[in-house]
Amino acid sequence: MTENPFFAASPLVYELPPYAEIREEHYLPAYERGTAEQLAEIAAITDDRSEPTFENTLVALERSGELLDRVDRVFRNQSSSDTTELLEEVEAKVSPLLAAHHDAIHLDRRLFARIEALHGDRAALGLDPESLRLLERWYTAFVRSGARLGSAEQDRLRELNAELAALGTTFQQNVNAATRAAALVVDTAEELAGLSEGAIAGAAENARVLGHEGRYVLSLKSTSTQPELAQLADRSVRERLLAASLARAGAENGPLAIRMAGLRAERAALLGFPNHAAHVVADETAGTVEAVSGLLARLVEPAVANARREAAELAAVAAADGVEEIAAHDWAYYSEKVRQASYQVDTAALRPYFELERVLVDGVFFAAGLAYGITFTERPELTAHHPDARVFEVFEEDGTALGLFIGDFHARASKRGGAWMDELVGQSGLTGRRPVVLNTLNVPRPAPGEPALLSWDEVRTLFHEFGHALHGLFSDVRYPLFAGTAVPRDFVEFPSQVNEMWMVRPEVLANYARHHATGEPLPAELVERMTAAERFGEGFRTVEYLAATLLDWAWHTLPQGHRVEDAQEFEARVLAEAGLAVAAIPPRYRTPYFQHIFSSGYSAGYYAYIWSEVLDADTVRWFETNGRSVRDSGELFRRELLARGFGRDPLESFRAVVGRAPETAPLLERRGLG
Ligand SMILES: [Zn+2]
């Protein structure tokens, strides 16, 4: 076997991972050597006989674990976006290994003693603000991880972390397998009536790839509701599609969710918190369970009232089809009809104006140019993690190189659902590294020779994920711990949501939304009607989101020792008690496939989207009303907020941009909840 390419820093530009050299069998040995190396580095810190200093302890800690960091970033992206059986096996071994490694560092008494001593002395150390913050953050991380517990309690903590890590991987792998298995297979094109010709051809191609030649396959998205429900004319096909989605992974993951919630409650109790959510939010911008519960409670009633108004409009249209009661599988379909009847908007008719390439280059990149002056050059000679992925180099206005952006946009069977951003290389002044960031989407692959045409929502997702990418690209911090998107979860969705505003800014829209065949611009009045029609869907969207959020909250505010018998019953009871049991609106995710909270680190964190949206709506208003040019506003937002990462208190960064604390009125207005 050739030398493992992870064992040395990448020789490529920006230290882009050497994908041409990386093989699946390199990951596990790199993880094993990487954890051992970091433990040796930590031992060197604690064996140092000289007095602990900021340099010999904190800076040394920040510099440690390079090999582990390298392999972990590459592996996480690979196992999410192009997994294989072997990678799944590696993943199952790696997550307990990493949990144990985290504990080995954070429960190291000699290391903690040095950090604690420095922390006690922090005012006298003469540190600059970012360095002082580094010391405070490491100290907090150690305490939150159990550094102060007795030995028996620390042993139990290690067991809990190990089991949770293993269960989280199993949960995720169950979701992946169940989502693939639950794809809807139909025999005839007639059953897909209502879908565009392109979508039907895509379903045929999908069937061919999956070994159902001559039939049609609709693969499932990660959410409960599936996009095809808006178009499928055959009610029974809609019903089958939604039922397949809702039933996914129930038998396997229901019991796992119960077990994980129980273990998390026990861990929180060990660490001195009444429940898992309290432990989580203590380190978020929200601070307390009450603050989160308060915001959620304030939103439920107006959101449900909004959804009921929407339901009445749907029922009026559905009656003409002989549908007496709107079921969950009817909601999107009749919403589409209402949009057509009341707003003269046919969302399918928008697609030809949203060709992926134009949206990316003339929309997303163009908007970033307007606000921040940056430019993009494709670098096809650079190899990414998959042949579909494209690499762009990003430059400042004055031509200075900034970093790399990789886009991996199309769905494939080996990719998990949803859309996300990753950082393959994190920015740091300490190491001199510049960022390599990545956006992953799941845009269905068009039939061969056809252009990829996006839905309105997919266009928004592209702008959203690129907002995360900018957060990573503009990072300008000294310490790796603070780079880019390493902010609290209830803050991280804020910059990405702000970036969505460019999608409908007139000067941006005029530049990208053109008919792929004729070049004709998207009529402005169609956009206005679409925006009005979108407001019509806010009731549904807010309720499905709040339902998922309250499920997360309910699972994670359980006290230690409270035993849930049945996940499905628990779900039903929680939603009913919250006043959110709207029969025709399923939660955005049901427990068995709610990967955010059981495998992706968002436990007690799904509230973050609406929490961040308060900041987002307020900031969008600031962009629109502050009287500065777009470029000046962009520069201020970049310098005071995006560039800062977690190098200072995020709410302080917000105030530095907007000039005051956040207000909720713009959010309520946007969601029609005012
Ligand atoms: Zn996001």
Side-chain angles (χ1 to χ4, degrees):
M1 190 165 116
T2 54
E3 173 80 329
N4 191 316
F6 290 112
F7 288 176
S10 166
L12 302 179
V13 283
Y14 299 94
E15 298 191 22
L16 177 70
Y19 282 109
E21 322 291 326
I22 296 171
R23 304 281 171 267
E24 290 186 334
E25 59 270 24
H26 292 141
Y27 290 112
L28 200 54
Y31 268 111
E32 284 163 351
R33 189 189 284 200
T35 48
E37 256 185 37
Q38 190 172 24
L39 293 183
E41 287 160 342
I42 303 271
I45 298 174
T46 53
D47 287 345
D48 190 338
R49 294 292 190 81
S50 53
E51 283 289 297
T53 64
F54 182 77
E55 279 293 320
N56 75 19
T57 304
L58 274 307
V59 174
L61 198 50
E62 281 292 286
R63 286 191 186 279
S64 73
E66 292 241 321
L67 166 53
L68 180 59
D69 185 60
R70 252 186 332 256
V71 63
D72 194 44
R73 287 169 184 268
V74 174
F75 180 74
R76 279 178 197 281
N77 170 54
Q78 203 69 27
S79 59
S80 301
S81 66
D82 194 21
T83 194
T84 64
E85 264 179 48
L86 183 64
L87 291 187
E88 294 206 345
E89 283 170 29
V90 173
E91 200 174 12
K93 290 181 184 143
V94 160
S95 46
L97 181 77
L98 287 181
H101 184 65
H102 180 274
D103 283 343
I105 295 174
H106 289 83
L107 302 180
D108 182 325
R109 292 196 186 281
R110 292 199 302 158
L111 182 57
F112 181 58
R114 295 176 75 95
I115 293 173
E116 198 173 26
L118 288 165
H119 185 259
D121 211 18
R122 63 191 179 283
L125 297 176
L127 298 174
D128 63 87
E130 193 185 332
S131 297
L132 178 61
R133 186 170 170 80
L134 185 76
L135 172 54
E136 285 171 347
R137 288 302 311 166
W138 271 108
Y139 175 76
T140 304
F142 270 74
V143 173
R144 286 178 54 77
S145 301
R148 281 190 173 144
L149 298 182
S151 295
E153 291 160 311
Q154 288 192 346
D155 287 345
R156 179 60 187 146
L157 195 58
R158 284 189 192 90
E159 285 171 14
L160 290 170
N161 288 338
E163 188 176 352
L164 278 165
L167 291 177
T169 307
T170 308
F171 187 96
Q172 177 68 53
Q173 293 182 351
N174 288 345
V175 173
N176 295 350
T179 301
R180 282 194 290 270
L184 184 68
V185 185
V186 302
D187 294 327
T188 64
E190 288 73 60
E191 291 168 89
L192 300 183
L195 298 187
S196 70
E197 268 176 46
I200 294 174
E205 171 67 9
N206 199 13
R208 194 188 59 74
V209 171
L210 296 172
H212 296 283
E213 184 92 50
R215 303 169 83 192
Y216 303 84
V217 175
L218 300 180
S219 291
L220 293 182
K221 297 281 187 303
S222 55
T223 48
S224 294
T225 298
Q226 301 296 312
E228 294 87 352
L229 291 172
Q231 280 107 35
L232 286 166
D234 186 328
R235 195 178 189 208
S236 70
V237 176
R238 291 201 303 267
E239 185 169 7
R240 281 160 57 202
L241 178 63
L242 184 62
S245 173
L246 293 177
R248 252 182 293 180
E252 313 91 285
N253 278 351
L256 278 192
I258 292 171
R259 175 86 184 145
M260 291 180 80
L263 297 175
R264 284 171 175 163
E266 184 186 345
R267 181 173 60 187
L270 262 181
L271 294 167
F273 289 86
N275 54 55
H276 178 66
H279 179 236
V280 169
V281 295
D283 205 36
E284 300 286 315
T285 70
T288 64
V289 167
E290 292 68 32
V292 176
S293 301
L295 178 67
L296 297 179
R298 191 138 52 94
L299 298 175
V300 166
E301 223 182 84
V304 169
N306 225 355
R308 293 206 195 287
R309 275 195 295 277
E310 288 175 8
E313 282 195 59
L314 302 184
V317 178
D321 286 357
V323 172
E324 287 181 4
E325 199 171 334
I326 293 287
H329 51 268
D330 296 322
W331 194 291
Y333 184 74
Y334 287 104
S335 290
E336 194 59 29
K337 298 266 183 246
V338 168
R339 282 195 192 101
Q340 287 170 16
S342 308
Y343 304 93
Q344 288 86 49
V345 170
D346 174 3
T347 54
L350 292 172
R351 277 184 187 266
Y353 295 92
F354 297 143
E355 204 249 315
L356 172 59
E357 189 66 19
R358 285 207 76 131
V359 177
L360 177 69
V361 175
D362 299 332
V364 172
F365 289 173
F366 174 75
L370 282 185
Y372 309 110
I374 56 176
T375 58
F376 300 80
T377 304
E378 188 154 11
R379 300 283 305 267
E381 77 283 10
L382 296 178
T383 304
H385 59 283
H386 188 278
D388 282 356
R390 299 165 61 187
V391 185
F392 298 85
E393 188 167 12
V394 189
F395 298 95
E396 300 277 15
E397 201 159 33
D398 67 1
T400 311
L402 183 61
L404 293 179
F405 168 73
I406 302 175
D408 178 7
F409 302 117
H410 286 298
R412 53 181 169 260
S414 60
K415 196 189 262 188
R416 76 170 158 84
W420 63 91
M421 173 271 197
D422 264 325
E423 296 178 28
L424 289 172
V425 177
Q427 180 274 334
S428 157
L430 188 67
T431 63
R433 291 200 177 95
R434 283 171 297 168
V436 177
V437 305
L438 191 141
N439 277 173
T440 308
L441 272 74
N442 266 287
V443 176
R445 184 176 294 286
E450 295 296 316
L453 302 179
L454 307 187
S455 68
W456 180 269
D457 285 342
E458 285 165 341
V459 175
R460 194 205 328 271
T461 302
L462 201 59
F463 277 92
H464 175 98
E465 295 307 331
F466 196 73
H468 289 304
L470 289 174
H471 204 181
L473 283 168
F474 288 152
S475 179
D476 188 16
V477 297
R478 179 162 168 74
Y479 301 110
L481 188 71
F482 296 145
T485 55
V487 294
R489 288 181 308 202
D490 65 3
F491 191 80
V492 75
E493 293 302 327
F494 156 48
S496 53
Q497 290 178 358
V498 164
N499 204 58
E500 294 175 21
M501 76 176 159
W502 302 111
M503 172 183 174
V504 292
R505 285 281 284 224
E507 68 270 39
V508 178
L509 197 70
N511 199 58
Y512 76 87
R514 287 175 176 274
H515 196 284
H516 72 95
T518 66
E520 170 211 348
L522 179 63
E525 43 99 30
L526 192 54
V527 178
E528 276 163 33
R529 279 186 279 140
M530 184 62 203
T531 315
E534 275 226 300
R535 212 164 236 245
F536 171 76
E538 284 300 346
F540 177 90
R541 270 194 294 278
T542 309
V543 167
E544 72 156 4
Y545 166 76
L546 287 176
T549 305
L550 283 156
L551 278 182
D552 171 29
W553 212 239
W555 279 113
H556 294 120
T557 46
L558 290 172
Q560 184 188 11
H562 179 98
R563 168 123 191 112
V564 172
E565 295 301 330
D566 180 277
Q568 205 164 332
E569 274 170 32
F570 178 74
E571 250 191 46
R573 190 163 48 73
V574 165
L575 296 177
E577 282 172 5
L580 260 174
V582 181
I585 306 184
R588 189 169 165 78
Y589 299 95
R590 295 195 56 202
T591 299
Y593 49 89
F594 204 166
Q595 42 196 342
H596 294 75
I597 68 165
F598 290 108
S599 60
S600 306
Y602 262 68
S603 60
Y606 203 64
Y607 79 90
Y609 290 89
I610 204 129
W611 193 268
S612 297
E613 200 180 331
V614 172
L615 305 181
D616 153 33
D618 206 4
T619 303
V620 169
R621 180 178 282 185
W622 171 83
F623 260 96
E624 286 164 354
T625 58
N626 69 27
R628 291 183 170 88
S629 69
V630 164
R631 184 72 185 80
D632 286 350
S633 300
E635 199 58 32
L636 184 59
F637 187 60
R638 170 182 174 170
R639 198 176 55 243
E640 292 293 347
L641 197 132
L642 299 175
R644 299 294 185 130
F646 203 25
R648 76 171 168 196
D649 180 332
L651 291 178
E652 199 181 320
S653 294
F654 176 92
R655 281 190 296 273
V657 174
V658 177
R660 54 163 173 74
E663 293 172 356
T664 51
L667 168 80
L668 299 178
E669 192 180 303
R670 175 196 284 188
R671 290 222 170 210
L673 304 173

